[in-house]
Amino acid sequence: GAVVSQHPSWVICKSGTSVKIECRSLDFQATTMFWYRQFPKQSLMLMATSNEGSKATYEQGVEKDKFLINHASLTLSTLTVTSAHPEDSSFYICSAKRWAGGNGQNPLVTQYFGPGTRLLVL
Amino acid sequence: GEDVEQSLFLSVREGDSSVINCTYTDSSSTYLYWYKQEPGAGLQLLTYIFSNMDMKQDQRLTVLLNKKDKHLSLRIADTQTGDSAIYFCAESIRGSQGNLIFGKGTKLSVKP
């Protein structure tokens, strides 16, 4: 199957600093990647859709100036948490969209997920 | 609007079958997916089914789709302790460019 990596796998930082998380599709090109945040009670929250070569699309309630997304190549998207605060502590997961078959009217599209990044802000 | 619902918890004994259920609201779903998340890890695509199919089997996994009732289930035969994880149901809506709508996940606990 397709492989998506994330780096770092975990990070501890001081309040007020910025943290960058990388998401890479290792064996396929991804024009679209997604960033999720997962809360302790397990539900996934889609934060934004990252499109290669264009601005990210943010979900309602997600501050785009706080969560900066850059998708500069077909295999790399980055999420930067700026001026991090303890309430930003969470598990951040990225995924990369891949066309896997189907037909023009019913394309089979799957998302392949990275292993996640655990962020702890002190 | 689009919504995917799952029960949050399921507990079974090792060797039994597990059935995880999911309901969705959008009748224009094209594909439906099951993902597995082990503790501290990302989501792994387990299987998917096209909306015009009723059933798909893959080794110990059986996916059943009732399109009329908008009900999807994942059956795991001979459940093992290694199957303990969170299982997410997801749907892809026609015209959505393949973006997925996820349920909140069902935490499966397998007791020896």
Side-chain angles (χ1 to χ4, degrees), chain A residues 34 36 38 42-44 91 93 97 102 106-111 113-115, chain B residues 8 30-31 33 35 37 41-43 48 86 88 94 97 99-100 102 104-105:
Chain A
F34 302 90
Y36 295 85
Q38 188 169 32
Q42 83 198 27
S43 64
L44 284 173
F91 192 54
I93 312 178
K97 186 163 80 172
N106 298 302
L108 172 61
V109 177
T110 55
Q111 287 187 27
F113 284 79
Chain B
L8 294 182
T30 53
Y31 290 91
Y33 307 79
Y35 283 84
Q37 184 183 31
L43 279 68
Y48 62 88
I86 300 173
F88 289 90
R94 181 173 291 116
Q97 299 295 313
N99 292 359
L100 301 183
F102 283 88
K104 290 187 174 2

PDB file of all heavy atoms in Angstrom, chain A residues 34 36 38 42-44 91 93 97 102 106-111 113-115, chain B residues 8 30-31 33 35 37 41-43 48 86 88 94 97 99-100 102 104-105:
ATOM      1  N   PHE A  34      -4.474  16.252   3.645  1.00  0.00           N
ATOM      2  CA  PHE A  34      -5.385  16.732   4.677  1.00  0.00           C
ATOM      3  C   PHE A  34      -4.684  16.741   6.029  1.00  0.00           C
ATOM      4  O   PHE A  34      -3.844  15.893   6.305  1.00  0.00           O
ATOM      5  CB  PHE A  34      -6.620  15.821   4.781  1.00  0.00           C
ATOM      6  CG  PHE A  34      -7.402  15.691   3.507  1.00  0.00           C
ATOM      7  CD1 PHE A  34      -7.097  14.687   2.602  1.00  0.00           C
ATOM      8  CD2 PHE A  34      -8.434  16.561   3.220  1.00  0.00           C
ATOM      9  CE1 PHE A  34      -7.810  14.556   1.415  1.00  0.00           C
ATOM     10  CE2 PHE A  34      -9.157  16.437   2.045  1.00  0.00           C
ATOM     11  CZ  PHE A  34      -8.841  15.434   1.146  1.00  0.00           C
ATOM     12  N   TYR A  36      -5.567  16.613  10.092  1.00  0.00           N
ATOM     13  CA  TYR A  36      -6.591  16.335  11.098  1.00  0.00           C
ATOM     14  C   TYR A  36      -5.999  16.538  12.483  1.00  0.00           C
ATOM     15  O   TYR A  36      -4.800  16.402  12.702  1.00  0.00           O
ATOM     16  CB  TYR A  36      -7.059  14.875  11.004  1.00  0.00           C
ATOM     17  CG  TYR A  36      -7.771  14.490   9.738  1.00  0.00           C
ATOM     18  CD1 TYR A  36      -7.073  14.100   8.602  1.00  0.00           C
ATOM     19  CD2 TYR A  36      -9.166  14.481   9.679  1.00  0.00           C
ATOM     20  CE1 TYR A  36      -7.724  13.720   7.443  1.00  0.00           C
ATOM     21  CE2 TYR A  36      -9.832  14.086   8.523  1.00  0.00           C
ATOM     22  CZ  TYR A  36      -9.102  13.707   7.419  1.00  0.00           C
ATOM     23  OH  TYR A  36      -9.758  13.329   6.277  1.00  0.00           O
ATOM     24  N   GLN A  38      -6.802  14.995  16.337  1.00  0.00           N
ATOM     25  CA  GLN A  38      -7.569  13.971  17.024  1.00  0.00           C
ATOM     26  C   GLN A  38      -7.588  14.270  18.512  1.00  0.00           C
ATOM     27  O   GLN A  38      -6.554  14.428  19.145  1.00  0.00           O
ATOM     28  CB  GLN A  38      -6.995  12.578  16.779  1.00  0.00           C
ATOM     29  CG  GLN A  38      -7.884  11.470  17.319  1.00  0.00           C
ATOM     30  CD  GLN A  38      -7.446  10.108  16.857  1.00  0.00           C
ATOM     31  OE1 GLN A  38      -6.259   9.863  16.664  1.00  0.00           O
ATOM     32  NE2 GLN A  38      -8.392   9.193  16.671  1.00  0.00           N
ATOM     33  N   GLN A  42     -11.165  10.351  20.836  1.00  0.00           N
ATOM     34  CA  GLN A  42     -10.954   9.624  19.597  1.00  0.00           C
ATOM     35  C   GLN A  42     -11.472  10.238  18.313  1.00  0.00           C
ATOM     36  O   GLN A  42     -11.033   9.844  17.248  1.00  0.00           O
ATOM     37  CB  GLN A  42     -11.422   8.160  19.690  1.00  0.00           C
ATOM     38  CG  GLN A  42     -12.914   7.897  19.463  1.00  0.00           C
ATOM     39  CD  GLN A  42     -13.340   6.537  20.003  1.00  0.00           C
ATOM     40  OE1 GLN A  42     -12.737   6.016  20.937  1.00  0.00           O
ATOM     41  NE2 GLN A  42     -14.375   5.970  19.450  1.00  0.00           N
ATOM     42  N   SER A  43     -12.374  11.213  18.349  1.00  0.00           N
ATOM     43  CA  SER A  43     -12.911  11.684  17.076  1.00  0.00           C
ATOM     44  C   SER A  43     -11.860  12.498  16.314  1.00  0.00           C
ATOM     45  O   SER A  43     -11.038  13.196  16.885  1.00  0.00           O
ATOM     46  CB  SER A  43     -14.166  12.521  17.305  1.00  0.00           C
ATOM     47  OG  SER A  43     -13.847  13.694  18.024  1.00  0.00           O
ATOM     48  N   LEU A  44     -11.913  12.364  15.004  1.00  0.00           N
ATOM     49  CA  LEU A  44     -11.019  13.108  14.121  1.00  0.00           C
ATOM     50  C   LEU A  44     -11.684  14.414  13.722  1.00  0.00           C
ATOM     51  O   LEU A  44     -12.846  14.422  13.350  1.00  0.00           O
ATOM     52  CB  LEU A  44     -10.780  12.327  12.832  1.00  0.00           C
ATOM     53  CG  LEU A  44      -9.839  11.147  12.850  1.00  0.00           C
ATOM     54  CD1 LEU A  44      -9.904  10.439  11.516  1.00  0.00           C
ATOM     55  CD2 LEU A  44      -8.421  11.586  13.138  1.00  0.00           C
ATOM     56  N   PHE A  91      -2.951  15.320  19.100  1.00  0.00           N
ATOM     57  CA  PHE A  91      -2.376  14.375  18.135  1.00  0.00           C
ATOM     58  C   PHE A  91      -2.783  14.870  16.755  1.00  0.00           C
ATOM     59  O   PHE A  91      -3.964  14.953  16.448  1.00  0.00           O
ATOM     60  CB  PHE A  91      -2.934  12.968  18.426  1.00  0.00           C
ATOM     61  CG  PHE A  91      -2.237  11.848  17.712  1.00  0.00           C
ATOM     62  CD1 PHE A  91      -0.865  11.683  17.818  1.00  0.00           C
ATOM     63  CD2 PHE A  91      -2.950  10.927  16.952  1.00  0.00           C
ATOM     64  CE1 PHE A  91      -0.216  10.632  17.173  1.00  0.00           C
ATOM     65  CE2 PHE A  91      -2.316   9.875  16.306  1.00  0.00           C
ATOM     66  CZ  PHE A  91      -0.939   9.724  16.422  1.00  0.00           C
ATOM     67  N   ILE A  93      -2.681  14.411  12.691  1.00  0.00           N
ATOM     68  CA  ILE A  93      -2.506  13.368  11.678  1.00  0.00           C
ATOM     69  C   ILE A  93      -2.725  13.969  10.295  1.00  0.00           C
ATOM     70  O   ILE A  93      -3.666  14.741  10.095  1.00  0.00           O
ATOM     71  CB  ILE A  93      -3.519  12.209  11.865  1.00  0.00           C
ATOM     72  CG1 ILE A  93      -3.567  11.729  13.309  1.00  0.00           C
ATOM     73  CG2 ILE A  93      -3.182  11.055  10.949  1.00  0.00           C
ATOM     74  CD1 ILE A  93      -4.595  10.630  13.532  1.00  0.00           C
ATOM     75  N   LYS A  97      -4.315  12.150  -0.400  1.00  0.00           N
ATOM     76  CA  LYS A  97      -5.359  11.589  -1.248  1.00  0.00           C
ATOM     77  C   LYS A  97      -4.738  10.929  -2.477  1.00  0.00           C
ATOM     78  O   LYS A  97      -3.833  11.494  -3.098  1.00  0.00           O
ATOM     79  CB  LYS A  97      -6.321  12.699  -1.678  1.00  0.00           C
ATOM     80  CG  LYS A  97      -7.529  12.206  -2.435  1.00  0.00           C
ATOM     81  CD  LYS A  97      -8.634  13.254  -2.482  1.00  0.00           C
ATOM     82  CE  LYS A  97      -8.399  14.302  -3.529  1.00  0.00           C
ATOM     83  NZ  LYS A  97      -9.586  15.183  -3.670  1.00  0.00           N
ATOM     84  N   GLY A 102     -11.686   2.993 -10.215  1.00  0.00           N
ATOM     85  CA  GLY A 102     -13.048   3.440 -10.468  1.00  0.00           C
ATOM     86  C   GLY A 102     -13.141   4.057 -11.845  1.00  0.00           C
ATOM     87  O   GLY A 102     -12.236   3.926 -12.657  1.00  0.00           O
ATOM     88  N   ASN A 106     -17.468   7.722 -11.021  1.00  0.00           N
ATOM     89  CA  ASN A 106     -17.342   7.169  -9.667  1.00  0.00           C
ATOM     90  C   ASN A 106     -15.894   6.831  -9.372  1.00  0.00           C
ATOM     91  O   ASN A 106     -15.521   5.658  -9.301  1.00  0.00           O
ATOM     92  CB  ASN A 106     -18.209   5.913  -9.529  1.00  0.00           C
ATOM     93  CG  ASN A 106     -19.683   6.200  -9.735  1.00  0.00           C
ATOM     94  OD1 ASN A 106     -20.269   7.007  -9.033  1.00  0.00           O
ATOM     95  ND2 ASN A 106     -20.275   5.556 -10.727  1.00  0.00           N
ATOM     96  N   PRO A 107     -15.063   7.831  -9.227  1.00  0.00           N
ATOM     97  CA  PRO A 107     -13.649   7.556  -8.961  1.00  0.00           C
ATOM     98  C   PRO A 107     -13.459   6.972  -7.568  1.00  0.00           C
ATOM     99  O   PRO A 107     -14.117   7.384  -6.615  1.00  0.00           O
ATOM    100  CB  PRO A 107     -13.003   8.943  -9.066  1.00  0.00           C
ATOM    101  CG  PRO A 107     -14.099   9.894  -8.734  1.00  0.00           C
ATOM    102  CD  PRO A 107     -15.362   9.278  -9.241  1.00  0.00           C
ATOM    103  N   LEU A 108     -12.571   6.000  -7.483  1.00  0.00           N
ATOM    104  CA  LEU A 108     -12.207   5.452  -6.183  1.00  0.00           C
ATOM    105  C   LEU A 108     -11.044   6.269  -5.658  1.00  0.00           C
ATOM    106  O   LEU A 108      -9.968   6.280  -6.253  1.00  0.00           O
ATOM    107  CB  LEU A 108     -11.819   3.977  -6.305  1.00  0.00           C
ATOM    108  CG  LEU A 108     -11.223   3.338  -5.039  1.00  0.00           C
ATOM    109  CD1 LEU A 108     -12.225   3.388  -3.896  1.00  0.00           C
ATOM    110  CD2 LEU A 108     -10.782   1.915  -5.325  1.00  0.00           C
ATOM    111  N   VAL A 109     -11.303   6.952  -4.598  1.00  0.00           N
ATOM    112  CA  VAL A 109     -10.266   7.781  -3.997  1.00  0.00           C
ATOM    113  C   VAL A 109     -10.068   7.317  -2.566  1.00  0.00           C
ATOM    114  O   VAL A 109     -11.031   7.135  -1.830  1.00  0.00           O
ATOM    115  CB  VAL A 109     -10.674   9.263  -4.003  1.00  0.00           C
ATOM    116  CG1 VAL A 109      -9.612  10.096  -3.301  1.00  0.00           C
ATOM    117  CG2 VAL A 109     -10.869   9.750  -5.421  1.00  0.00           C
ATOM    118  N   THR A 110      -8.836   7.119  -2.205  1.00  0.00           N
ATOM    119  CA  THR A 110      -8.559   6.729  -0.834  1.00  0.00           C
ATOM    120  C   THR A 110      -7.652   7.761  -0.192  1.00  0.00           C
ATOM    121  O   THR A 110      -6.947   8.507  -0.883  1.00  0.00           O
ATOM    122  CB  THR A 110      -7.872   5.356  -0.774  1.00  0.00           C
ATOM    123  OG1 THR A 110      -6.717   5.397  -1.591  1.00  0.00           O
ATOM    124  CG2 THR A 110      -8.800   4.258  -1.245  1.00  0.00           C
ATOM    125  N   GLN A 111      -7.691   7.787   1.097  1.00  0.00           N
ATOM    126  CA  GLN A 111      -6.754   8.620   1.849  1.00  0.00           C
ATOM    127  C   GLN A 111      -5.818   7.693   2.601  1.00  0.00           C
ATOM    128  O   GLN A 111      -6.259   6.769   3.284  1.00  0.00           O
ATOM    129  CB  GLN A 111      -7.491   9.520   2.846  1.00  0.00           C
ATOM    130  CG  GLN A 111      -8.237  10.668   2.198  1.00  0.00           C
ATOM    131  CD  GLN A 111      -8.816  11.638   3.215  1.00  0.00           C
ATOM    132  OE1 GLN A 111      -8.295  11.783   4.325  1.00  0.00           O
ATOM    133  NE2 GLN A 111      -9.881  12.313   2.839  1.00  0.00           N
ATOM    134  N   PHE A 113      -2.958   7.581   5.482  1.00  0.00           N
ATOM    135  CA  PHE A 113      -2.635   8.392   6.647  1.00  0.00           C
ATOM    136  C   PHE A 113      -1.203   8.231   7.104  1.00  0.00           C
ATOM    137  O   PHE A 113      -0.607   7.150   6.994  1.00  0.00           O
ATOM    138  CB  PHE A 113      -3.560   8.021   7.817  1.00  0.00           C
ATOM    139  CG  PHE A 113      -4.945   8.588   7.671  1.00  0.00           C
ATOM    140  CD1 PHE A 113      -5.869   7.983   6.843  1.00  0.00           C
ATOM    141  CD2 PHE A 113      -5.311   9.735   8.355  1.00  0.00           C
ATOM    142  CE1 PHE A 113      -7.152   8.517   6.685  1.00  0.00           C
ATOM    143  CE2 PHE A 113      -6.585  10.274   8.214  1.00  0.00           C
ATOM    144  CZ  PHE A 113      -7.495   9.657   7.378  1.00  0.00           C
ATOM    145  N   GLY A 114      -0.679   9.320   7.634  1.00  0.00           N
ATOM    146  CA  GLY A 114       0.604   9.253   8.308  1.00  0.00           C
ATOM    147  C   GLY A 114       0.423   8.677   9.699  1.00  0.00           C
ATOM    148  O   GLY A 114      -0.713   8.481  10.161  1.00  0.00           O
ATOM    149  N   PRO A 115       1.513   8.418  10.389  1.00  0.00           N
ATOM    150  CA  PRO A 115       1.460   7.806  11.720  1.00  0.00           C
ATOM    151  C   PRO A 115       1.080   8.779  12.835  1.00  0.00           C
ATOM    152  O   PRO A 115       0.878   8.368  13.968  1.00  0.00           O
ATOM    153  CB  PRO A 115       2.870   7.266  11.922  1.00  0.00           C
ATOM    154  CG  PRO A 115       3.727   8.133  11.085  1.00  0.00           C
ATOM    155  CD  PRO A 115       2.905   8.538   9.901  1.00  0.00           C
TER     156      PRO A 115
ATOM    157  N   LEU B   8     -19.745   4.077  19.918  1.00  0.00           N
ATOM    158  CA  LEU B   8     -18.388   4.417  20.334  1.00  0.00           C
ATOM    159  C   LEU B   8     -17.578   3.229  20.845  1.00  0.00           C
ATOM    160  O   LEU B   8     -16.354   3.245  20.774  1.00  0.00           O
ATOM    161  CB  LEU B   8     -18.429   5.510  21.404  1.00  0.00           C
ATOM    162  CG  LEU B   8     -18.949   6.867  20.947  1.00  0.00           C
ATOM    163  CD1 LEU B   8     -18.891   7.866  22.093  1.00  0.00           C
ATOM    164  CD2 LEU B   8     -18.142   7.394  19.755  1.00  0.00           C
ATOM    165  N   THR B  30     -20.528   7.302  -2.904  1.00  0.00           N
ATOM    166  CA  THR B  30     -20.016   6.433  -3.966  1.00  0.00           C
ATOM    167  C   THR B  30     -19.276   5.245  -3.378  1.00  0.00           C
ATOM    168  O   THR B  30     -19.523   4.108  -3.727  1.00  0.00           O
ATOM    169  CB  THR B  30     -19.093   7.219  -4.904  1.00  0.00           C
ATOM    170  OG1 THR B  30     -18.092   7.880  -4.115  1.00  0.00           O
ATOM    171  CG2 THR B  30     -19.870   8.237  -5.705  1.00  0.00           C
ATOM    172  N   TYR B  31     -18.353   5.504  -2.496  1.00  0.00           N
ATOM    173  CA  TYR B  31     -17.607   4.446  -1.840  1.00  0.00           C
ATOM    174  C   TYR B  31     -17.707   4.632  -0.330  1.00  0.00           C
ATOM    175  O   TYR B  31     -17.810   5.754   0.164  1.00  0.00           O
ATOM    176  CB  TYR B  31     -16.128   4.472  -2.238  1.00  0.00           C
ATOM    177  CG  TYR B  31     -15.879   4.071  -3.669  1.00  0.00           C
ATOM    178  CD1 TYR B  31     -15.853   5.024  -4.676  1.00  0.00           C
ATOM    179  CD2 TYR B  31     -15.658   2.739  -4.005  1.00  0.00           C
ATOM    180  CE1 TYR B  31     -15.637   4.665  -5.992  1.00  0.00           C
ATOM    181  CE2 TYR B  31     -15.432   2.374  -5.324  1.00  0.00           C
ATOM    182  CZ  TYR B  31     -15.426   3.335  -6.306  1.00  0.00           C
ATOM    183  OH  TYR B  31     -15.211   2.964  -7.600  1.00  0.00           O
ATOM    184  N   TYR B  33     -15.831   3.238   3.362  1.00  0.00           N
ATOM    185  CA  TYR B  33     -14.529   2.728   3.780  1.00  0.00           C
ATOM    186  C   TYR B  33     -14.542   2.337   5.253  1.00  0.00           C
ATOM    187  O   TYR B  33     -15.288   2.889   6.053  1.00  0.00           O
ATOM    188  CB  TYR B  33     -13.457   3.823   3.607  1.00  0.00           C
ATOM    189  CG  TYR B  33     -13.381   4.456   2.239  1.00  0.00           C
ATOM    190  CD1 TYR B  33     -14.287   5.432   1.848  1.00  0.00           C
ATOM    191  CD2 TYR B  33     -12.378   4.095   1.345  1.00  0.00           C
ATOM    192  CE1 TYR B  33     -14.214   6.029   0.596  1.00  0.00           C
ATOM    193  CE2 TYR B  33     -12.289   4.697   0.095  1.00  0.00           C
ATOM    194  CZ  TYR B  33     -13.217   5.658  -0.262  1.00  0.00           C
ATOM    195  OH  TYR B  33     -13.134   6.245  -1.504  1.00  0.00           O
ATOM    196  N   TYR B  35     -11.535   2.124   8.186  1.00  0.00           N
ATOM    197  CA  TYR B  35     -10.159   2.346   8.590  1.00  0.00           C
ATOM    198  C   TYR B  35      -9.952   1.812   9.995  1.00  0.00           C
ATOM    199  O   TYR B  35     -10.868   1.827  10.824  1.00  0.00           O
ATOM    200  CB  TYR B  35      -9.830   3.851   8.601  1.00  0.00           C
ATOM    201  CG  TYR B  35      -9.590   4.470   7.248  1.00  0.00           C
ATOM    202  CD1 TYR B  35     -10.652   4.904   6.454  1.00  0.00           C
ATOM    203  CD2 TYR B  35      -8.292   4.650   6.769  1.00  0.00           C
ATOM    204  CE1 TYR B  35     -10.424   5.491   5.219  1.00  0.00           C
ATOM    205  CE2 TYR B  35      -8.060   5.244   5.534  1.00  0.00           C
ATOM    206  CZ  TYR B  35      -9.134   5.659   4.771  1.00  0.00           C
ATOM    207  OH  TYR B  35      -8.904   6.241   3.552  1.00  0.00           O
ATOM    208  N   GLN B  37      -7.399   2.138  13.447  1.00  0.00           N
ATOM    209  CA  GLN B  37      -6.351   2.907  14.101  1.00  0.00           C
ATOM    210  C   GLN B  37      -5.922   2.197  15.363  1.00  0.00           C
ATOM    211  O   GLN B  37      -6.702   2.042  16.307  1.00  0.00           O
ATOM    212  CB  GLN B  37      -6.831   4.324  14.459  1.00  0.00           C
ATOM    213  CG  GLN B  37      -5.728   5.183  15.060  1.00  0.00           C
ATOM    214  CD  GLN B  37      -6.197   6.556  15.479  1.00  0.00           C
ATOM    215  OE1 GLN B  37      -7.342   6.740  15.862  1.00  0.00           O
ATOM    216  NE2 GLN B  37      -5.310   7.542  15.413  1.00  0.00           N
ATOM    217  N   ALA B  41      -1.128   5.486  16.692  1.00  0.00           N
ATOM    218  CA  ALA B  41      -0.747   5.397  15.282  1.00  0.00           C
ATOM    219  C   ALA B  41      -1.759   6.110  14.404  1.00  0.00           C
ATOM    220  O   ALA B  41      -2.805   6.560  14.865  1.00  0.00           O
ATOM    221  CB  ALA B  41      -0.650   3.922  14.870  1.00  0.00           C
ATOM    222  N   GLY B  42      -1.428   6.216  13.126  1.00  0.00           N
ATOM    223  CA  GLY B  42      -2.351   6.804  12.170  1.00  0.00           C
ATOM    224  C   GLY B  42      -3.408   5.789  11.760  1.00  0.00           C
ATOM    225  O   GLY B  42      -3.486   4.684  12.304  1.00  0.00           O
ATOM    226  N   LEU B  43      -4.227   6.152  10.797  1.00  0.00           N
ATOM    227  CA  LEU B  43      -5.298   5.279  10.335  1.00  0.00           C
ATOM    228  C   LEU B  43      -4.819   4.421   9.172  1.00  0.00           C
ATOM    229  O   LEU B  43      -4.152   4.903   8.263  1.00  0.00           O
ATOM    230  CB  LEU B  43      -6.508   6.102   9.880  1.00  0.00           C
ATOM    231  CG  LEU B  43      -7.453   6.597  10.960  1.00  0.00           C
ATOM    232  CD1 LEU B  43      -6.817   7.642  11.844  1.00  0.00           C
ATOM    233  CD2 LEU B  43      -8.731   7.136  10.334  1.00  0.00           C
ATOM    234  N   TYR B  48     -12.820  -1.275   1.519  1.00  0.00           N
ATOM    235  CA  TYR B  48     -13.802  -0.321   1.026  1.00  0.00           C
ATOM    236  C   TYR B  48     -14.839  -1.090   0.214  1.00  0.00           C
ATOM    237  O   TYR B  48     -14.619  -2.239  -0.190  1.00  0.00           O
ATOM    238  CB  TYR B  48     -13.152   0.756   0.156  1.00  0.00           C
ATOM    239  CG  TYR B  48     -12.493   0.206  -1.091  1.00  0.00           C
ATOM    240  CD1 TYR B  48     -13.214   0.050  -2.268  1.00  0.00           C
ATOM    241  CD2 TYR B  48     -11.155  -0.172  -1.076  1.00  0.00           C
ATOM    242  CE1 TYR B  48     -12.631  -0.477  -3.404  1.00  0.00           C
ATOM    243  CE2 TYR B  48     -10.562  -0.706  -2.208  1.00  0.00           C
ATOM    244  CZ  TYR B  48     -11.300  -0.848  -3.373  1.00  0.00           C
ATOM    245  OH  TYR B  48     -10.714  -1.370  -4.490  1.00  0.00           O
ATOM    246  N   ILE B  86      -9.361   1.242  17.181  1.00  0.00           N
ATOM    247  CA  ILE B  86     -10.526   2.078  16.860  1.00  0.00           C
ATOM    248  C   ILE B  86     -10.804   1.899  15.373  1.00  0.00           C
ATOM    249  O   ILE B  86      -9.890   1.967  14.545  1.00  0.00           O
ATOM    250  CB  ILE B  86     -10.262   3.561  17.181  1.00  0.00           C
ATOM    251  CG1 ILE B  86      -9.960   3.734  18.664  1.00  0.00           C
ATOM    252  CG2 ILE B  86     -11.473   4.411  16.778  1.00  0.00           C
ATOM    253  CD1 ILE B  86      -9.513   5.132  19.035  1.00  0.00           C
ATOM    254  N   PHE B  88     -12.871   3.262  12.113  1.00  0.00           N
ATOM    255  CA  PHE B  88     -13.591   4.417  11.574  1.00  0.00           C
ATOM    256  C   PHE B  88     -14.288   4.028  10.272  1.00  0.00           C
ATOM    257  O   PHE B  88     -13.692   3.430   9.380  1.00  0.00           O
ATOM    258  CB  PHE B  88     -12.626   5.565  11.265  1.00  0.00           C
ATOM    259  CG  PHE B  88     -12.057   6.229  12.475  1.00  0.00           C
ATOM    260  CD1 PHE B  88     -10.877   5.790  13.047  1.00  0.00           C
ATOM    261  CD2 PHE B  88     -12.698   7.321  13.046  1.00  0.00           C
ATOM    262  CE1 PHE B  88     -10.343   6.412  14.172  1.00  0.00           C
ATOM    263  CE2 PHE B  88     -12.177   7.955  14.163  1.00  0.00           C
ATOM    264  CZ  PHE B  88     -11.001   7.493  14.723  1.00  0.00           C
ATOM    265  N   ARG B  94     -20.403  11.626  -4.025  1.00  0.00           N
ATOM    266  CA  ARG B  94     -20.243  11.921  -5.455  1.00  0.00           C
ATOM    267  C   ARG B  94     -20.075  13.423  -5.648  1.00  0.00           C
ATOM    268  O   ARG B  94     -20.822  14.225  -5.083  1.00  0.00           O
ATOM    269  CB  ARG B  94     -21.482  11.431  -6.222  1.00  0.00           C
ATOM    270  CG  ARG B  94     -21.393  11.672  -7.727  1.00  0.00           C
ATOM    271  CD  ARG B  94     -22.542  11.023  -8.477  1.00  0.00           C
ATOM    272  NE  ARG B  94     -22.457   9.579  -8.452  1.00  0.00           N
ATOM    273  CZ  ARG B  94     -23.356   8.791  -7.870  1.00  0.00           C
ATOM    274  NH1 ARG B  94     -24.421   9.327  -7.290  1.00  0.00           N
ATOM    275  NH2 ARG B  94     -23.219   7.489  -7.872  1.00  0.00           N
ATOM    276  N   GLN B  97     -14.891  15.334  -4.981  1.00  0.00           N
ATOM    277  CA  GLN B  97     -13.468  15.200  -5.290  1.00  0.00           C
ATOM    278  C   GLN B  97     -12.787  14.191  -4.379  1.00  0.00           C
ATOM    279  O   GLN B  97     -11.578  14.278  -4.171  1.00  0.00           O
ATOM    280  CB  GLN B  97     -12.752  16.563  -5.170  1.00  0.00           C
ATOM    281  CG  GLN B  97     -13.283  17.624  -6.108  1.00  0.00           C
ATOM    282  CD  GLN B  97     -13.031  17.281  -7.557  1.00  0.00           C
ATOM    283  OE1 GLN B  97     -11.936  16.907  -7.922  1.00  0.00           O
ATOM    284  NE2 GLN B  97     -14.070  17.365  -8.381  1.00  0.00           N
ATOM    285  N   ASN B  99     -13.166  13.694  -1.169  1.00  0.00           N
ATOM    286  CA  ASN B  99     -13.010  13.986   0.262  1.00  0.00           C
ATOM    287  C   ASN B  99     -13.893  13.050   1.073  1.00  0.00           C
ATOM    288  O   ASN B  99     -14.976  12.669   0.632  1.00  0.00           O
ATOM    289  CB  ASN B  99     -13.393  15.440   0.539  1.00  0.00           C
ATOM    290  CG  ASN B  99     -12.413  16.405  -0.088  1.00  0.00           C
ATOM    291  OD1 ASN B  99     -11.442  16.003  -0.718  1.00  0.00           O
ATOM    292  ND2 ASN B  99     -12.669  17.694   0.060  1.00  0.00           N
ATOM    293  N   LEU B 100     -13.425  12.653   2.227  1.00  0.00           N
ATOM    294  CA  LEU B 100     -14.118  11.652   3.024  1.00  0.00           C
ATOM    295  C   LEU B 100     -14.773  12.275   4.243  1.00  0.00           C
ATOM    296  O   LEU B 100     -14.243  13.186   4.858  1.00  0.00           O
ATOM    297  CB  LEU B 100     -13.143  10.558   3.484  1.00  0.00           C
ATOM    298  CG  LEU B 100     -12.408   9.789   2.387  1.00  0.00           C
ATOM    299  CD1 LEU B 100     -11.535   8.705   2.993  1.00  0.00           C
ATOM    300  CD2 LEU B 100     -13.386   9.195   1.397  1.00  0.00           C
ATOM    301  N   PHE B 102     -15.856  11.193   7.947  1.00  0.00           N
ATOM    302  CA  PHE B 102     -15.566  10.138   8.898  1.00  0.00           C
ATOM    303  C   PHE B 102     -16.585  10.103  10.023  1.00  0.00           C
ATOM    304  O   PHE B 102     -17.087  11.142  10.466  1.00  0.00           O
ATOM    305  CB  PHE B 102     -14.180  10.349   9.517  1.00  0.00           C
ATOM    306  CG  PHE B 102     -13.045   9.966   8.616  1.00  0.00           C
ATOM    307  CD1 PHE B 102     -12.504  10.881   7.730  1.00  0.00           C
ATOM    308  CD2 PHE B 102     -12.526   8.681   8.651  1.00  0.00           C
ATOM    309  CE1 PHE B 102     -11.465  10.526   6.881  1.00  0.00           C
ATOM    310  CE2 PHE B 102     -11.482   8.318   7.816  1.00  0.00           C
ATOM    311  CZ  PHE B 102     -10.951   9.229   6.932  1.00  0.00           C
ATOM    312  N   LYS B 104     -17.144   8.935  14.123  1.00  0.00           N
ATOM    313  CA  LYS B 104     -16.333   9.228  15.304  1.00  0.00           C
ATOM    314  C   LYS B 104     -15.491   8.044  15.750  1.00  0.00           C
ATOM    315  O   LYS B 104     -14.677   8.166  16.658  1.00  0.00           O
ATOM    316  CB  LYS B 104     -17.230   9.678  16.453  1.00  0.00           C
ATOM    317  CG  LYS B 104     -17.837  11.055  16.241  1.00  0.00           C
ATOM    318  CD  LYS B 104     -18.571  11.507  17.480  1.00  0.00           C
ATOM    319  CE  LYS B 104     -19.100  12.915  17.450  1.00  0.00           C
ATOM    320  NZ  LYS B 104     -18.929  13.706  16.299  1.00  0.00           N
ATOM    321  N   GLY B 105     -15.692   6.904  15.144  1.00  0.00           N
ATOM    322  CA  GLY B 105     -14.874   5.750  15.477  1.00  0.00           C
ATOM    323  C   GLY B 105     -15.505   4.861  16.539  1.00  0.00           C
ATOM    324  O   GLY B 105     -16.151   5.346  17.458  1.00  0.00           O
TER     325      GLY B 105
END
